[in-house]
Amino acid sequence: MALFDLPLDELRTYRSESTEPEDFDAFWDKTLQQAREHGLDARFEPVDAGLTTVEVYDVTFAGFDGHPVKGWLRLPAGATEPLPLVVEFIGYGGGRGLPHESLLWASTGRAHFLMDTRGQGSVWGGGGDTADPVGAAPAFPGYMTRGIEAPENYYYRRVFTDAVRAVEAARSHPLTDASRTVATGVSQGGGIAIAVGGLVPDLVAVAPDVPFLCDFPRAVTLTDRRPYREIGLFLRTHRGRSADALRTLSYFDAVHFAARGRAPALFSVALEDETCPPSTVFAAFNAWSHEDRAIEVYEFNDHEGGGSFHEAAKVRWLRSYA
């Protein structure tokens, strides 16, 4: 796919037209307050994964409305002192996978917490283990339109709340250093990381790769790839509901969370990415409020972005922060 979005010089100044709801902060303050009325109840069960350099724990904690959410905590074997903590979120359709996967961050000497995404984990990878017990009104297959009739019911209200609670759960382990916590993820995981960056005030760094869930008004009209296309296909049937749908989505647009980002950030973007178009990624990057921010641009890549090249860039970058 050749370049299809704005030229790079225009991307660097592009601003989203997404309208921030007047009660955005109140909505999220109330949501998180309600979640914290349930005990965190974080449990860490050792797993024999057959590894000698990394220890793995099967984690369960209380997410949105107290629902049980799964995760893996991976630590360098033999750690005795609190370690810098990387909390990672997963791409669309994937789950936490198997205990022996995703060993990069623990191999760098950091604690690594990987959150399972509720209701997902059946499209790629090693699978997921977290149910989403909440029903929804009619929706297009996938997750993008579940509960889209109202912000209170929308699927990502639960996911973003789970993600904040995941940070709290990971920080509760005695071998993690809460003062050196990083949020990261690819695609959907990158969008979740941006949301966490706006909702958790004391992270030391945020690293979203080719992030999804950014600049909904542009994304749903620019690309015909799913997952964004799920929204258009829903509205094709539910005519006349576009304004209501975009209002709901505005509470979950990473652009508005980015405007509240209080930590240094390293983004990545791929200029041939039709899944998460470059302008939508730059919309979040350009809105990021912390002055210490950078973006790696992969000019001839699609949604694979920088892949292992960008993993190496993140490892180098994080040395300055955690």
Side-chain angles (χ1 to χ4, degrees), residues 118-173:
R118 62 168 59 222
Q120 299 190 31
S122 298
V123 177
W124 57 270
D129 298 295
T130 302
D132 182 11
V134 178
F140 188 84
Y143 309 97
M144 297 306 298
T145 64
R146 294 186 183 185
I148 200 169
E149 74 279 0
E152 294 76 13
N153 301 332
Y154 192 50
Y155 170 75
Y156 282 99
R157 181 180 182 227
R158 303 190 289 281
V159 173
F160 290 177
T161 302
D162 292 346
V164 172
R165 298 286 274 172
V167 172
E168 295 170 357
R171 284 175 158 179
S172 74
H173 192 279

Side-chain angles (χ1 to χ4, degrees), residues 12 183-185 190-191 193-195 197 205-212 214 254-255 257-259 261 263-270 278-290 292-298 306 310 313-314 317:
R12 293 193 184 280
T184 192
I194 295 172
V206 179
D209 301 344
V210 290
F212 180 47
C214 302
V255 169
F257 293 105
L266 175 66
F267 282 64
S268 73
V269 63
S279 56
T280 68
V281 175
F282 270 98
F285 174 72
N286 292 335
W288 192 262
S289 61
H290 197 282
D292 185 354
R293 58 188 175 95
I295 187 166
E296 293 284 345
V297 178
Y298 298 95
H310 191 66
K314 284 201 296 184
W317 178 76

Side-chain angles (χ1 to χ4, degrees), residues 49-295:
L51 305 174
T52 59
T53 60
V54 175
E55 298 173 357
V56 185
Y57 294 84
D58 183 357
V59 185
T60 308
F61 65 94
F64 178 88
D65 204 26
H67 301 156
V69 179
K70 301 294 289 184
W72 297 121
L73 176 66
R74 298 180 175 93
L75 302 172
T80 59
E81 300 293 333
L83 302 167
L85 171 63
V86 175
V87 182
E88 183 176 2
F89 307 103
I90 301 168
Y92 195 80
R96 66 173 181 162
L98 303 175
H100 63 272
E101 298 180 275
S102 302
L103 302 181
L104 171 64
W105 292 114
S107 299
T108 67
R110 298 173 175 88
H112 175 221
F113 187 94
L114 181 66
M115 185 190 85
D116 209 20
T117 310
R118 62 168 59 222
Q120 299 190 31
S122 298
V123 177
W124 57 270
D129 298 295
T130 302
D132 182 11
V134 178
F140 188 84
Y143 309 97
M144 297 306 298
T145 64
R146 294 186 183 185
I148 200 169
E149 74 279 0
E152 294 76 13
N153 301 332
Y154 192 50
Y155 170 75
Y156 282 99
R157 181 180 182 227
R158 303 190 289 281
V159 173
F160 290 177
T161 302
D162 292 346
V164 172
R165 298 286 274 172
V167 172
E168 295 170 357
R171 284 175 158 179
S172 74
H173 192 279
L175 289 179
T176 65
D177 183 349
S179 69
R180 293 183 289 171
T181 303
V182 178
T184 192
V186 180
S187 191
Q188 174 186 253
I192 298 171
I194 295 172
V196 169
L199 293 171
V200 178
D202 58 349
L203 301 176
V204 295
V206 179
D209 301 344
V210 290
F212 180 47
L213 307 170
C214 302
D215 195 7
F216 284 111
R218 182 167 176 82
V220 299
T221 58
L222 182 59
T223 181
D224 58 5
R225 274 197 197 168
R226 296 182 186 179
Y228 282 123
R229 188 57 183 154
E230 293 176 21
I231 298 167
L233 293 172
F234 172 84
L235 294 172
R236 173 185 291 179
T237 299
H238 298 279
R239 298 167 176 82
R241 293 178 59 180
S242 298
D244 290 340
L246 286 172
R247 176 183 177 275
T248 291
L249 293 169
S250 68
Y251 287 86
F252 307 92
D253 197 322
V255 169
H256 306 316
F257 293 105
R260 292 158 172 79
R262 301 178 181 89
L266 175 66
F267 282 64
S268 73
V269 63
L271 298 191
E272 295 187 5
D273 188 348
E274 291 186 88
T275 300
C276 296
S279 56
T280 68
V281 175
F282 270 98
F285 174 72
N286 292 335
W288 192 262
S289 61
H290 197 282
E291 62 182 10
D292 185 354
R293 58 188 175 95
I295 187 166

